[in-house]
Amino acid sequence: MRKIILIIVLLFSSTFVIAQDTIDRDLINLVKLKLWCELYGIFPNRKKIESNNGSTKGDSLYYEYSSLIKKVKKSPKVYLHYINQALKQNTDSLRKQSVFYKNPTPTILYNYDPYSIKIIDLYRIIKLSLFERNDDFLPEDFRNLSVIDQKNYYGYYEPEPNRKAALKYIMKKFSLNSKEKKFLKNKLNVSYVMDIKKFLDTCEQSIENKEFIQKSIAAFVENKETSLAGLYFYHQLSKDTKNYIPRDKKTKSQ
């Protein structure tokens, strides 16, 4: 009798685990199908199709995405219950897992990754969008939504040993004034520290790049809304156009 009970318990447990995995896979597939639709120029929220050219694959992806949305919305007792339980029990582990929400472009900067979303925030968006607002599709972008924990995207959760090591490296490499040191030592500014460290690790250790970082640190102190990505963009733009002469201004010898 005990063996029979044990077998029943094991069967129930394995069935429960499989069901949990299926639910989780469906929720992740929502964002994957969203991505694939956008790659094929299909933006459901805009009711817009760009350069799809009647792609059979694009149409198929759109159908899969729409169907999965309907499936999830029709079963709040399954999916919403799962999300609520996950948010209560697995906050820390879900914050460490990410998935692409928007189609990415390469970047060397730690702080600027506006394409990946933490699983915990994906669940929050699905809950908000599909169950609370009854949207037809997931939002095209996730930044600035009220349910998103912005701390998940600006390095607040960088392990302390990593932050300290990066800070020590920067302090040793650059001559900083008291305000600049105070800014970088502030734990809330860890994203700036990690951006600088990644830039230095990735880019050539040239005088030009060191001067760029020195000026960037000063800019951060003056305006915290300034980003290394933005500064680097304008730095490159300035460098590319510095010696530019419009064609109609060139001399014949040029």
Side-chain angles (χ1 to χ4, degrees):
M1 185 66 180
R2 287 182 179 178
K3 287 184 178 180
I4 294 173
I5 293 173
L6 180 60
I7 290 170
I8 292 172
V9 169
L10 289 173
L11 285 172
F12 177 79
S13 299
S14 61
T15 303
F16 177 76
V17 170
I18 292 170
Q20 296 284 90
D21 289 345
T22 301
I23 296 167
D24 182 63
R25 186 166 58 250
D26 281 348
L27 295 176
I28 299 300
N29 279 342
L30 279 175
V31 74
K32 288 183 177 179
L33 287 167
K34 169 191 173 294
L35 273 176
W36 276 107
C37 282
E38 290 172 1
L39 276 171
Y40 277 83
I42 299 170
F43 298 87
N45 287 317
R46 305 184 205 173
K47 296 182 179 178
K48 185 176 183 180
I49 297 179
E50 296 177 353
S51 65
N52 186 28
N53 298 323
S55 166
T56 304
K57 181 65 175 176
D59 293 339
S60 175
L61 287 166
Y62 177 75
Y63 176 77
E64 283 186 59
Y65 182 38
S66 303
S67 298
L68 186 53
I69 290 274
K70 290 174 183 175
K71 176 185 174 182
V72 171
K73 289 177 70 173
K74 282 181 179 178
S75 306
K77 289 183 179 179
V78 175
Y79 294 98
L80 183 57
H81 176 74
Y82 175 85
I83 289 171
N84 286 334
Q85 291 300 112
L87 292 177
K88 284 180 183 177
Q89 299 172 10
N90 301 314
T91 300
D92 190 57
S93 64
L94 293 177
R95 197 180 66 226
K96 294 176 181 176
Q97 302 173 57
S98 299
V99 64
F100 281 128
Y101 193 89
K102 294 180 65 181
N103 292 309
T105 54
T107 174
I108 64 167
L109 298 178
Y110 173 94
N111 189 28
Y112 264 66
D113 180 12
Y115 310 102
S116 297
I117 187 171
K118 302 296 182 183
I119 298 297
I120 188 170
D121 285 327
L122 175 62
Y123 286 173
R124 287 169 176 155
I125 284 180
I126 292 171
K127 179 179 178 179
L128 171 71
S129 178
L130 303 188
F131 294 107
E132 294 179 5
R133 299 195 313 206
N134 195 31
D135 294 340
D136 293 328
F137 302 97
L138 294 178
E140 191 173 319
D141 198 359
F142 67 92
R143 294 304 177 95
N144 300 320
L145 290 175
S146 60
V147 294
I148 296 296
D149 183 357
Q150 296 297 334
K151 289 182 180 180
N152 286 331
Y153 305 94
Y154 291 94
Y156 284 77
Y157 299 113
E158 182 68 28
E160 185 63 6
N162 294 1
R163 185 190 75 86
K164 284 186 174 180
L167 182 62
K168 183 178 179 181
Y169 179 82
I170 294 167
M171 293 288 192
K172 187 177 180 180
K173 203 167 189 66
F174 296 93
S175 177
L176 306 173
N177 61 39
S178 58
K179 285 185 178 180
E180 291 167 346
K181 289 178 181 178
K182 184 178 179 181
F183 179 88
L184 294 177
K185 286 179 179 178
N186 187 336
K187 290 184 179 181
L188 293 179
N189 296 331
V190 60
S191 59
Y192 296 90
V193 172
M194 301 311 297
D195 265 359
I196 293 167
K197 181 63 167 63
K198 187 159 188 178
F199 180 92
L200 294 171
D201 289 344
T202 307
C203 297
E204 181 187 358
Q205 296 289 307
S206 63
I207 294 173
E208 179 189 324
N209 282 337
K210 288 179 182 177
E211 288 178 350
F212 164 70
I213 291 297
Q214 188 83 50
K215 291 178 181 177
S216 296
I217 295 171
F220 296 151
V221 175
E222 292 299 317
N223 181 8
K224 198 174 177 181
E225 295 301 313
T226 305
S227 70
L228 191 61
L231 290 173
Y232 189 68
F233 173 80
Y234 285 110
H235 170 70
Q236 290 294 98
L237 184 65
S238 173
K239 189 172 72 170
D240 292 342
T241 59
K242 188 175 182 180
N243 299 315
Y244 172 73
I245 303 174
R247 180 177 293 181
D248 61 347
K249 299 292 183 183
K250 289 183 179 181
T251 63
K252 290 183 179 180
S253 61
Q254 291 176 310

